[in-house]
Structure formats: structure tokens, C-alpha cells
Amino acid sequence: MNDKAEPAAIDVAALACRDELCRSLGIELVEASLGRAVTRVMIERRHLNFNGVGHGGLTFTLADAAFGFACNSQGVVSGSIDAHIVYSAAVRLGEVLTARAIEISRSSKASTYRIDVVRADGKLVAAMTGTALISGKPVVV
């Protein structure tokens, strides 16, 4: 007999509504399911760095948001304990970036995700890997 409950999807959109940083930056949750999430942002003037291209911090935040929504999508509070990002292309004013997070491994204590950030033309802008600690506590929606 298996006493472990199967993960149940939660209303990730409700979590996204509570994320004031994402809202203030214009980052939106596009979709989410068990172990997956997609976020998107359009590059505005406020998102540019001193060289006139999209700020790496925004790209990281976009990827981190997808990671956070994906790792909490199974209804158990999870938080990042490691994240690594590699940038491969600059982004310009008016471009739309999409981050797709997918779970690649999960145990009872930790889960690991791959998050790709792409432009609308499909060009990879950044690739992130993230590991989350699983608390065992239920996510409050």
C-alpha cells in the first residue's frame, strides 16, 4: 500500500496574482500545469540597461518566475536553493520574451527544473537550471 498522495494541480494563476514583483515588471503567467509553467514579458524602455538592451536581471526574473510557479504547481511549498543562468542573446525594446519551465527530476526533498527563455522568433536568449527545496507544507492558494 502506498501512503503517498499523488500531487494535485493548484490554481497557479491565483499565486501569480499575489506576485507583486512580477506584476510591477509586466511579467505574466501564460500557463501552468503539474511541474510546468510559462511566463512572458514585453521589453519596455524601463527594462533596458545602460547599454540600451534588455536588462539581464529582468531575463533572470522572468525565468525565476516560471521556475517558482512550476515548482509550486504541485501544491507543496517549494523554494529555490540554487539557480544558474547562461545568457546567449541580447534583447531589444519591443521584443517579447517567453520563459518555459519544466521539471526534470523530483524526489521527496528537492526538484530540478530547466527553464528556457526565448524571443518570439524562437531564438534562445537564456537557459536556466534551478533546484527547489520541497518543504512538505501545502501551498495556500
Side-chain angles (χ1 to χ4, degrees):
M1 182 169 154
N2 185 355
D3 291 334
K4 271 190 161 178
E6 289 300 313
I10 62 164
D11 185 0
V12 178
L15 297 181
C17 287
R18 295 192 331 232
D19 193 317
E20 292 187 34
L21 179 62
C22 283
R23 283 197 330 267
S24 70
L25 291 172
I27 294 172
E28 63 179 316
L29 174 68
V30 176
E31 63 183 73
S33 59
L34 286 176
R36 297 174 181 256
V38 178
T39 55
R40 179 174 52 211
V41 69
M42 180 191 296
I43 302 299
E44 300 172 6
R45 189 161 308 284
R46 65 185 171 139
H47 299 136
L48 302 179
N49 67 17
F50 52 83
N51 287 320
V53 296
H55 199 291
L58 177 69
T59 303
F60 186 96
T61 302
L62 178 69
D64 190 56
F67 170 36
F69 294 139
C71 70
N72 283 277
S73 66
Q74 299 191 42
V76 181
V77 174
S78 301
S80 176
I81 57 171
D82 179 67
H84 177 79
I85 193 165
V86 176
Y87 299 96
S88 55
V91 295
R92 309 274 183 229
L93 183 66
E95 289 183 324
V96 174
L97 300 183
T98 301
R100 288 181 174 81
I102 183 168
E103 185 176 274
I104 55 176
S105 70
R106 185 178 190 87
S107 71
S108 62
K109 299 288 183 193
S111 56
T112 303
Y113 291 79
R114 164 73 189 243
I115 306 95
D116 287 339
V117 179
V118 298
R119 296 187 315 214
D121 65 2
K123 173 79 173 170
L124 183 68
V125 170
M128 175 190 268
T129 55
T131 302
L133 182 64
I134 301 169
S135 74
K137 299 175 184 173
V139 171
V140 176
V141 180

